[in-house]
Amino acid sequence: MTKPQRLLPLLLTGWLLAMPVLASPLNNPRWDQLDSEQQTVMAPLAAEWDRYAPEKKKNLLAIVPEYRSLDPAGRLRLQSKLKSWSDLTLEQRQQIRQNWKTLQGLPATEREKAIQRLKQSQPKPQASG
């Protein structure tokens, strides 16, 4: 057996072992690496997508399969929430995260009361027509 003939099985084995890595989803995809459906769902975040941490991208992309099952109103609501979040400053996001942490630390009854107060303090959407 010649040297190239001996190397061929090793090269093929190495290539076959590497295939799952090549086929696995990207851990930190850039915006241009997202498929069209992912870009559609994440459109409100397009301008800042490439600055997100890999774990954040993973969590956001987990929304895509759920998005498929939403009715048109649900899809608009989801994208509106993504847009609202993307419009917040870093400080506002940190404050929201801190408030959420505090809320989760409350006993269930106090948490429910706090949520009700929050809902009552928010402006009601205007009826169109």
Side-chain angles (χ1 to χ4, degrees):
M1 198 182 269
T2 66
K3 188 173 183 176
Q5 289 174 326
R6 286 188 303 235
L7 287 177
L8 187 59
L10 291 174
L11 291 172
L12 286 174
T13 302
W15 182 75
L16 289 172
L17 291 174
M19 280 185 69
V21 172
L22 297 173
S24 67
L26 297 170
N27 290 326
N28 188 18
R30 294 184 319 269
W31 180 257
D32 62 352
Q33 293 173 312
L34 300 180
D35 65 36
S36 60
E37 181 185 30
Q38 291 169 328
Q39 285 186 352
T40 298
V41 177
M42 296 296 136
L45 307 176
E48 57 192 51
W49 180 264
D50 290 335
R51 293 190 304 255
Y52 286 152
E55 189 64 26
K56 171 101 173 161
K57 291 177 183 180
K58 179 182 168 190
N59 291 340
L60 285 166
L61 290 174
I63 295 170
V64 174
E66 297 171 29
Y67 181 85
R68 290 182 203 126
S69 66
L70 296 174
D71 62 11
R75 290 177 178 191
L76 286 174
R77 193 169 42 255
L78 175 83
Q79 287 192 309
S80 173
K81 288 181 180 185
L82 287 173
K83 176 68 176 138
S84 295
W85 183 258
S86 74
D87 289 343
L88 296 174
T89 66
L90 180 61
E91 293 78 20
Q92 290 170 320
R93 292 178 194 183
Q94 289 172 334
Q95 183 63 52
I96 289 170
R97 288 183 184 113
Q98 183 57 48
N99 291 348
W100 178 255
K101 236 184 210 179
T102 301
L103 186 66
Q104 294 306 304
L106 294 175
T109 54
E110 287 186 43
R111 184 172 49 244
E112 286 302 317
K113 288 178 187 175
I115 290 171
Q116 288 305 317
R117 284 193 307 270
L118 180 61
K119 286 180 180 178
Q120 290 171 355
S121 71
Q122 291 179 344
K124 304 289 183 243
Q126 299 294 319
S128 60

